[in-house]
Amino acid sequence: MSRVLSVAAESFPIAGTFTISRGSKTEADVITCTIAESGRLGRGECVPYKRYGETMESVRAAIELARRAIEAGASRADLLELMPAGAARNAVDCALWDLEAKTSGIPAAAKLGPAEPRSLETAYTLSLAEPEAMAAQARANAARPLLKVKIGGDNDIARIRAVTQAAPNSRIILDANEGWTEANVAGNLALAAELGIALIEQPLPAGADEILARIPHPVPICADESVHVAADLDALRDRYDAINIKLDKAGGLTAALELRDRARALGFQLMVGCMVGTSLAMAPAVLLAQDAEFVDLDGPLLLARDRQPGLAYEGSVVAPPSPELWG
């Protein structure tokens, strides 16, 4: 029986407003790919990201360009040649993983390793705002063990102090989303070390981060926008201590596994992160993140409405996906 590919655009409301240094949004706009074969359905979700030149329309068009090959039976390995890294390939790749699991009866987790997947502690993200508002967010979530704090503006020192004072028992990741400069990065790093920050994510713009090779790292620094696929890693070895793997950047779980293994070989710590999407997008990432030092898969916690069934969250702990959801 031949395959049938379907592609849908969907929107899920965010609980409130999600703000980073590049702007704000109130909805998570996603593309869902479904591949039907032999009475089984495989699904994958991606989040087009403007920072990388993606739109809902361009991602959908990229999937349509590969439709004939996908419906003719293209494998996940074939996709690595058919489609470039990015959100479009992620949706198709994850749909194929899900389809393989549904068709074979072998869960995706079993293909990734012998150990049963475990529940993981995820970071919870606080949106960028003025220091007082960020302190209020931190206070409301001070019982969570790991907070990811969006910064990247002129008042970051006040923000960092406000958040650490409001959530004194939480480990904190600072995510500048490329918002710092060569003039303030050393001072901000020093303050972060003084306040016990656990990790700093992408302080400087990708391609303008050479100074990170010349200044001390009193807090580990994690590449996000600077790293998409395994081929990016060699150039980052003297600048970053960790990398953030996102399926939408890598272009699917298949490429993300290659990125993970190469990063480990080079000595990087790992974070597995996400765009703001639903449980369908997080599910394969939960399996990828089983041995990561940092997990940031809180997308569904930021939504006013998730898919059903979705991932099971208990506080900041997320359980592996059920077969009904994915894999």
XYZ file of all heavy atoms in Angstrom, residues 1 15 17-18 30 49-50 84 126 137 154 162 169-170 175 190-191 194 201 206-207 237 239 258-259 263 284 297 327:
221
model
N 0.849 -1.191 0.000
C 0.000 0.000 0.000
C 0.887 1.244 0.000
O 1.870 1.310 0.730
C -0.909 0.008 1.232
C -1.932 1.141 1.252
S -2.990 1.063 2.712
C -3.859 -0.470 2.373
N -0.452 30.671 27.057
C -1.018 31.219 28.291
C -0.342 32.554 28.577
O 0.775 32.598 29.090
C -0.818 30.242 29.443
N 1.589 35.921 27.330
C 2.468 36.341 26.240
C 3.859 35.783 26.487
O 4.367 35.831 27.610
C 2.535 37.878 26.156
O 1.224 38.394 25.951
C 3.433 38.330 25.011
N 4.476 35.258 25.428
C 5.834 34.727 25.521
C 6.768 35.732 24.863
O 6.622 36.038 23.670
C 5.921 33.372 24.830
C 7.271 32.718 24.953
C 7.669 32.141 26.143
C 8.137 32.676 23.879
C 8.906 31.522 26.267
C 9.379 32.067 23.979
C 9.765 31.491 25.185
N 2.135 26.015 14.367
C 2.895 24.803 14.071
C 2.420 24.190 12.760
O 1.303 24.432 12.307
C 2.781 23.772 15.211
C 3.123 24.406 16.551
C 1.391 23.143 15.272
N 10.491 29.051 12.360
C 11.131 30.058 13.199
C 11.658 31.204 12.336
O 12.538 31.003 11.490
C 12.273 29.418 13.994
C 12.693 30.187 15.217
C 11.756 30.814 16.038
C 14.030 30.286 15.557
C 12.153 31.512 17.170
C 14.448 30.979 16.689
C 13.504 31.588 17.500
O 13.904 32.287 18.620
N 11.132 32.382 12.575
C 11.483 33.560 11.766
C 12.981 33.851 11.808
O 13.559 34.290 10.805
C 10.686 34.766 12.258
C 10.887 36.027 11.447
C 10.037 37.174 11.993
C 10.268 38.458 11.202
N 9.448 39.585 11.748
N 16.930 20.149 3.406
C 17.923 20.769 4.277
C 17.483 20.708 5.737
O 16.304 20.488 6.042
C 17.969 22.216 3.776
C 16.598 22.456 3.229
C 16.169 21.148 2.623
N 10.841 31.666 31.946
C 10.286 32.961 32.332
C 10.525 33.948 31.196
O 11.648 34.113 30.726
C 10.945 33.480 33.610
C 10.984 32.546 34.819
C 11.584 33.268 36.018
C 9.604 32.015 35.143
N 7.338 36.643 38.227
C 7.296 35.339 37.558
C 8.132 34.315 38.319
O 7.716 33.166 38.519
C 7.853 35.448 36.132
C 7.035 36.217 35.129
C 7.723 36.172 33.764
O 7.852 35.107 33.151
N 8.176 37.307 33.281
N 19.019 46.022 27.944
C 19.893 46.993 28.596
C 19.885 46.879 30.112
O 20.770 47.413 30.765
C 19.479 48.417 28.207
C 19.688 48.694 26.725
O 20.562 48.043 26.132
O 18.969 49.540 26.177
N 17.100 40.363 40.312
C 15.711 40.240 40.750
C 15.244 38.790 40.738
O 14.591 38.320 41.678
C 14.812 41.099 39.860
N 16.166 29.123 45.639
C 16.456 27.693 45.680
C 16.439 27.026 44.302
O 16.659 25.810 44.196
C 15.469 26.987 46.605
C 15.586 27.467 48.039
O 16.695 27.676 48.545
N 14.463 27.672 48.702
N 16.165 27.789 43.268
C 16.113 27.245 41.908
C 17.465 27.392 41.224
O 18.144 28.415 41.378
C 15.058 27.979 41.071
O 13.782 27.870 41.636
N 19.112 32.847 29.292
C 19.091 32.749 27.831
C 18.990 34.149 27.249
O 17.937 34.772 27.273
C 17.911 31.896 27.372
C 17.925 31.661 25.863
O 18.872 32.127 25.192
O 16.996 31.007 25.360
N 30.542 37.666 34.844
C 31.066 37.758 36.209
C 29.928 37.822 37.225
O 29.971 37.166 38.267
C 31.980 38.973 36.337
N 28.900 38.624 36.924
C 27.759 38.710 37.824
C 27.047 37.370 37.910
O 26.645 36.923 38.998
C 26.779 39.777 37.352
C 25.496 39.854 38.178
C 25.780 40.393 39.571
C 24.442 40.700 37.480
N 28.894 35.174 40.219
C 28.700 35.628 41.602
C 27.359 35.147 42.166
O 27.261 34.785 43.344
C 28.758 37.163 41.636
C 28.450 37.782 42.985
C 28.308 39.300 42.883
O 28.981 39.911 42.024
O 27.520 39.862 43.657
N 23.063 30.774 27.983
C 22.774 30.317 26.630
C 22.879 31.459 25.629
O 22.288 32.520 25.818
C 21.354 29.719 26.618
C 21.030 28.920 25.387
C 19.651 28.286 25.479
O 19.078 28.215 26.584
O 19.145 27.876 24.418
N 25.132 34.768 16.756
C 25.828 33.734 15.998
C 26.674 34.396 14.917
O 26.227 35.309 14.226
C 24.816 32.782 15.362
N 27.919 33.962 14.801
C 28.823 34.563 13.821
C 29.548 35.790 14.336
O 30.433 36.317 13.661
N 34.396 24.758 19.266
C 35.040 24.071 20.374
C 35.741 25.016 21.339
O 35.802 24.745 22.542
C 36.035 23.039 19.849
C 35.377 21.916 19.085
C 36.372 20.971 18.468
N 37.086 20.184 19.485
C 37.994 19.273 19.192
N 38.332 19.041 17.939
N 38.592 18.591 20.152
N 34.795 28.136 21.937
C 33.904 29.226 22.327
C 32.811 28.797 23.305
O 32.321 29.629 24.075
C 33.228 29.825 21.080
C 34.212 30.345 20.061
C 33.541 30.909 18.836
N 34.525 31.155 17.788
C 34.275 31.726 16.623
N 33.036 32.104 16.339
N 35.229 31.904 15.730
N 22.767 12.317 15.448
C 24.126 12.492 14.922
C 24.814 13.674 15.603
O 25.991 13.598 15.984
C 24.070 12.720 13.411
C 25.423 12.938 12.754
C 25.319 13.273 11.274
O 24.198 13.226 10.721
O 26.365 13.586 10.671
N 24.077 14.766 15.774
C 24.616 15.947 16.451
C 24.968 15.617 17.902
O 26.041 15.999 18.390
C 23.589 17.077 16.387
C 23.892 18.352 17.171
C 25.211 18.969 16.755
C 22.745 19.358 16.998
N 28.753 15.773 19.420
C 28.994 16.710 20.514
C 29.614 16.006 21.715
O 30.547 16.520 22.341
C 27.686 17.394 20.912
N 9.472 13.311 20.790
C 10.761 12.733 20.391
C 11.936 13.367 21.119
O 12.947 12.699 21.374
C 10.818 12.987 18.878
C 9.823 14.056 18.617
C 8.765 13.937 19.647
N 12.196 21.335 27.916
C 11.086 20.836 27.101
C 9.762 21.201 27.751
O 8.900 20.361 28.005
C 11.223 19.328 26.898
C 12.489 18.890 26.155
C 12.595 17.376 26.092
C 12.534 19.493 24.745
N 5.519 7.646 18.812
C 6.626 6.715 18.978
C 6.285 5.362 19.540
O 7.165 4.649 19.998
